[in-house]
Amino acid sequence: MAQATNTVEAETRSYVTGLRCRLCRAEYPERPVAICEECFGPLEVEYDYAALVRVISRELIASRPPTMWRYRELLPLGVPPRVGAETGYTPLVPAPRLGAALGLKNLYIKNDGVCHPTLSFKDRVVAVSLSKACEFGFDTVGCASTGNLANSVAANAARAGLKAYVFIPEMLEQAKILGTQIYGARVIAIRGTYDDVNRLCSEIVYTLNWGLVNVNLRPFYSEGSKTVGFEIAEQLGWRAPDAVVVPMAGGSLLTKIHKSFAELQHLGLIPPARPRLFGAQARGCNPIVAAIREGSEEIRPVKPRTIAHSLAIGDPADGYFAMRAIRESGGWAEDATDEEIREGIRLLAETEGIFTETAGGVTVAVTKKLAEQGRLSPDETIILTITGNGLKTMEALTASPPITIAPKIAEVERLLREGI
Amino acid sequence: MSVTVRIPQPLRRFTENRDVIELSAGTVGELLEQLERQYPGITERLREPDGQLRRFVNIYVDGEDIRFLSGLATEVRDGTEVSIIPAIAGGSESVLRC
Ligand SMILES: Cc1ncc(COP(=O)(O)O)c(C=O)c1O
Ligand SMILES: [Zn+2]
């Protein structure tokens, strides 16, 4: 048996057995494809769990550096990560003041707004998929993005010395555009919504030999999101929470957090539990919420209209899987109006000192609703996944001009008398 | 009357590798029937046995998803461009449940 060491480099074995179609079960070797040739169903990475269960342990994981790679056996990489070796293991922060405001006694924030290097959970999926792109030998990479993925692909591609083409919808926050261009990536805005961008990118991979992380590298990309769930369980002392509230765009993050708890249980790393998954969307782009509410089997695409640009996917790729994870786990889904999103951002900042982006505002606002509806109970352990940073979506809010005074103590005293 | 149909790469083995096909039809549904007549077997990849479009197949008429139009009853006319595009999804109900 290999000795556990503290370096990512020391262990290089992959437990991936291949890719498998979720619909018709056809098997494929590991390669940059996301779609089954037989039925167009999505492909999923498969692991040799029988071998995994013999090597993985809490002690082994705990002996490793605090990054997402401490769970490397459960990620689809056979070699040390080429990028993102420092990514992940973000703080799980107790949130008693927000909890008091919402009537929830055991509330925690999983704060991926401080993920390395680009301040969103997308750094996790990019760490896996760009490392995989290097393994497959791509010299040009890219993505279809609502902003955060763009930032992360651009930064990590720069570090890996890869050429990057990043496709975004024309309506996007300045910080998300600048925060992509700064790394030297080619940013191409598409006339239309994210869904038009996504459609174009799914055609591009058939004509150009590029590794688009959420298109032809998607089976690998999406596995990176599992580490959010792994970390939550480990940070809670190796147990699943009672409930997790997750913002949904394509629905991949929620689906993979669900999978992460199932894997940990299967491998005996946490006791049996049934964490409920709750999905959060903006009212102006709520196709998954609408299906859950109506009890429908169909997810009807919508044309997004919301300040939560990062969640503005009207035709969610993983909508059906997210819907199934929510239903099977006993969860629910709700949406938030633009005004509620802004209030959510403010509430989190004022109670817990965390400035999140619009997606986080959606998550906070939806948690409030779920608590009011009695779907979350006061004594449960509840996790709010905060997935992005407020400095990237400043347009959503307006700063009030600060009170300006002369540098005189009398002026300060006057202000205090006036009750400021 | 001629409608341009763009065939995605995974379906080109049915179309002798042609990426664009010209057909005449009044609706998207009729177009698929024409396509099947010309390239037998191709629409089995696109439709469920009950005729519904498969979940991970999208069809666009002049750039618009037919789910925002009239679905398979969406009208097409001379000069319309129809694209068939497999949708990207990540998969993932837990593999452990099986
Ligand atoms: C900040 C933030 N949170 C959540 C999501 C949702 O991710 P998914 O597409 O996996 O549902 C995104 C996606 O772009 C995002 O940028
Ligand atoms: Zn298949």
Side-chain angles (χ1 to χ4, degrees):
Chain A
M1 251 269 167
Q3 183 79 40
T5 73
N6 279 341
T7 56
V8 175
E9 290 73 21
E11 293 150 65
T12 53
R13 160 145 200 221
S14 165
Y15 291 86
V16 174
T17 55
L19 303 177
R20 190 191 284 275
C21 173
R22 299 309 314 158
L23 300 187
C24 77
R25 316 289 300 158
E27 288 179 79
Y28 296 85
E30 265 193 90
R31 54 177 205 218
V33 290
I35 296 179
C36 175
E37 284 168 12
E38 299 303 318
C39 75
F40 295 163
L43 302 184
E44 170 107 356
V45 174
E46 289 222 316
Y47 298 86
D48 180 356
Y49 289 108
L52 259 170
V53 77
R54 287 195 298 272
V55 296
I56 204 162
S57 68
R58 293 179 184 180
E59 294 70 33
L60 177 65
I61 293 167
S63 73
R64 291 172 173 164
T67 73
M68 61 183 273
W69 299 102
R70 62 208 266 115
Y71 315 101
R72 76 185 67 120
E73 286 85 358
L74 290 161
L75 294 171
L77 209 60
V79 294
R82 181 65 196 283
V83 295
E86 306 82 1
T87 297
Y89 220 75
T90 55
L92 183 74
V93 186
R97 283 171 44 78
L98 178 62
L102 303 183
L104 301 169
K105 291 186 203 139
N106 290 306
L107 187 63
Y108 294 83
I109 309 288
K110 178 61 174 166
N111 188 10
D112 263 25
V114 294
C115 212
H116 176 80
T118 66
L119 309 175
S120 89
F121 91 98
K122 294 289 185 185
D123 288 325
R124 299 172 185 273
V125 289
V126 171
V128 177
S129 53
L130 279 197
S131 294
K132 208 68 196 170
C134 295
E135 196 181 311
F136 287 131
F138 288 108
D139 58 14
T140 305
V141 296
C143 62
S145 176
T146 57
N148 284 309
L149 185 60
N151 295 172
S152 189
V153 165
N156 284 296
R159 190 154 180 223
L162 299 167
K163 196 167 175 185
Y165 286 88
V166 166
F167 296 86
I168 55 169
E170 56 189 335
M171 274 280 289
L172 215 53
E173 297 94 345
Q174 274 305 311
K176 297 226 171 119
I177 297 170
L178 175 63
T180 306
Q181 289 169 332
I182 193 70
Y183 304 108
R186 281 93 179 143
V187 177
I188 299 164
I190 303 300
R191 237 168 271 123
T193 67
Y194 173 83
D195 301 296
D196 298 299
V197 179
N198 189 42
R199 175 194 147 196
L200 174 67
C201 287
S202 46
E203 294 185 87
I204 284 177
V205 292
Y206 291 118
T207 50
L208 299 167
N209 189 30
W210 290 356
L212 300 190
V213 299
N214 54 343
V215 186
N216 53 338
L217 295 170
R218 193 169 178 97
F220 310 100
Y221 155 98
S222 55
E223 284 287 289
S225 287
K226 292 191 308 192
T227 59
V228 175
F230 295 154
E231 290 174 18
I232 290 170
E234 185 182 354
Q235 288 167 317
L236 285 175
W238 291 110
R239 66 185 173 98
D242 294 309
V244 191
V245 188
V246 186
M248 303 185 293
S252 177
L253 174 63
L254 182 140
T255 313
K256 292 291 176 167
I257 289 179
H258 187 232
K259 180 178 178 183
S260 73
F261 296 131
E263 282 186 336
L264 293 182
Q265 286 177 50
H266 183 75
L267 296 169
L269 293 169
I270 58 170
R274 190 163 170 257
R276 283 145 35 237
L277 274 294
F278 291 88
Q281 293 194 298
R283 174 72 49 86
C285 182
N286 65 354
I288 306 173
V289 172
I292 292 276
R293 249 189 220 140
E294 293 161 17
S296 159
E297 283 306 313
E298 277 306 301
I299 293 181
R300 279 192 309 276
V302 302
K303 304 276 184 195
R305 267 187 72 114
T306 169
I307 57 166
H309 296 293
S310 56
L311 302 183
I313 297 184
D315 185 13
D318 291 284
Y320 288 100
F321 299 101
M323 185 162 82
R324 193 180 321 171
I326 291 168
R327 286 198 179 129
E328 281 185 4
S329 73
W332 189 248
E334 276 297 339
D335 54 18
T337 65
D338 285 354
E339 208 32 58
E340 289 167 339
I341 294 168
R342 293 190 186 94
E343 281 165 21
I345 294 173
R346 289 209 177 85
L347 182 62
L348 180 63
E350 288 171 6
T351 54
E352 298 298 342
I354 293 171
F355 184 19
T356 186
E357 70 146 81
T358 45
V362 170
T363 308
V364 173
V366 161
T367 305
K368 182 162 183 273
K369 276 186 198 177
L370 294 168
E372 284 164 5
Q373 293 169 355
R375 295 182 197 274
L376 299 173
S377 314
D379 293 316
E380 292 184 312
T381 299
I382 297 159
I383 313 290
L384 238 144
T385 45
I386 293 301
T387 49
N389 193 298
L391 296 172
K392 291 193 193 183
T393 62
M394 305 260 270
E395 290 96 324
L397 305 165
T398 32
S400 24
I403 300 162
T404 308
I405 58 171
K408 288 182 186 147
I409 194 74
E411 287 277 85
V412 176
E413 283 164 359
R414 176 180 62 81
L415 282 185
L416 292 179
R417 266 197 313 278
E418 288 167 6
I420 302 296
Chain B
M1 274 243 302
S2 154
V3 177
T4 305
V5 186
R6 298 187 51 220
I7 306 293
Q9 195 262 1
L11 284 182
R12 288 184 204 151
R13 59 188 152 124
F14 290 95
T15 61
E16 295 144 2
N17 247 342
R18 291 170 63 191
D19 57 349
V20 176
I21 313 251
E22 303 283 330
L23 293 171
S24 54
T27 65
V28 173
E30 284 172 30
L31 206 68
L32 293 183
E33 276 154 33
Q34 292 286 339
L35 199 60
E36 178 67 24
R37 220 159 290 147
Q38 204 158 331
Y39 302 106
I42 188 167
T43 56
E44 202 187 299
R45 309 280 152 158
L46 302 175
R47 302 170 92 153
E48 301 290 353
D50 69 359
Q52 291 284 340
L53 212 54
R54 283 181 187 256
R55 193 159 271 179
F56 296 103
V57 173
N58 291 333
I59 296 184
Y60 300 85
V61 169
D62 287 331
E64 182 64 292
D65 190 323
I66 60 167
R67 287 172 296 173
F68 289 110
L69 304 169
S70 310
L72 293 174
T74 302
E75 287 182 15
V76 293
R77 55 172 66 86
D78 221 6
T80 302
E81 187 183 272
V82 176
S83 303
I84 302 170
I85 301 181
I88 300 287
S92 192
E93 88 273 28
S94 175
V95 272
L96 305 168
R97 212 166 310 257
C98 333

